[in-house]
Amino acid sequence: MTAMAGDVPLLERLAGLPPVSIAELRALLEGGAALSRDPLLAGFVGADEEGAPALHPLAAALLEQLEQRPDATCYTALIEALTGIWNAAVRGAVVARLKAGGLPADDLLLRLEALSPTLGFQAENREWARAWVADPTAQDGALVQQCLVRLLLALRGLAEARARALTDPHPPSRGASASEEVR
């Protein structure tokens, strides 16, 4: 698929939407039964002990984590999710190259720390780094799973903002026009 000259990249269009707070996302997700028909979130809806619709525990935990920051928005959560996935992918590629080059496992963490602060080792605590070295696939696999759920939650919140912009008879001046909508 090629981009047209007038196309605005997706992240720019999403950034141009009015901010969607995590509280707004929470209110949207409390719709319960309607979530089971939502194409992004249907796989994360189950039933609680009383049989009422409920979010999957991972999605609920991530939503609670996002709510701990009062200034958090869906766009911020989206960028954080993409960054986490990107860092895991780069770590995996770097580790594969270093191991293929014969780097001993004992030197792996030191080399990763020296290569790039964005790989996450300098910002993370030493306990996480040791767990990562012991089983990088499991650690980054869990991170990617969490990031994918965060990404879907964030996209759902942003989609609601876009839906408002498309259906409001007096849309705000910010955001992408209907002709720029992703198909």
Side-chain angles (χ1 to χ4, degrees), residues 28-45:
L28 174 71
L29 296 177
E30 288 176 352
L35 288 177
S36 65
R37 293 184 303 278
D38 188 295
L40 291 181
L41 303 177
F44 298 107
V45 178

Side-chain angles (χ1 to χ4, degrees), residues 4 6-7 10 28-29 52 73-74 77 79 83 86 90 95 105 111 133 138-139 149 151 160 163 167 180:
M4 303 296 287
D7 283 349
L10 177 61
L28 174 71
L29 296 177
T73 65
C74 287
I79 296 301
T83 301
W86 172 252
V90 172
V95 166
R111 183 69 189 273
V133 169
Q139 294 297 318
V149 173
L151 177 83
E160 195 64 26
T167 58
E180 294 173 336

Side-chain angles (χ1 to χ4, degrees), residues 106-174:
D106 294 344
D107 296 334
L108 187 61
L109 185 58
L110 294 172
R111 183 69 189 273
L112 287 168
E113 286 177 340
L115 286 174
S116 173
T118 62
L119 290 179
F121 293 104
Q122 293 176 345
E124 298 292 342
N125 65 41
R126 302 307 289 168
E127 196 173 303
W128 181 86
R130 279 197 243 8
W132 187 89
V133 169
D135 192 354
T137 302
Q139 294 297 318
D140 276 343
L143 170 68
V144 169
Q145 183 181 33
Q146 291 173 13
C147 286
L148 287 171
V149 173
R150 182 182 296 234
L151 177 83
L152 291 174
L153 289 169
L155 282 174
R156 183 58 185 94
L158 289 165
E160 195 64 26
R162 182 67 178 134
R164 273 194 307 264
L166 288 171
T167 58
D168 185 356
H170 305 289
S173 60
R174 292 176 51 173

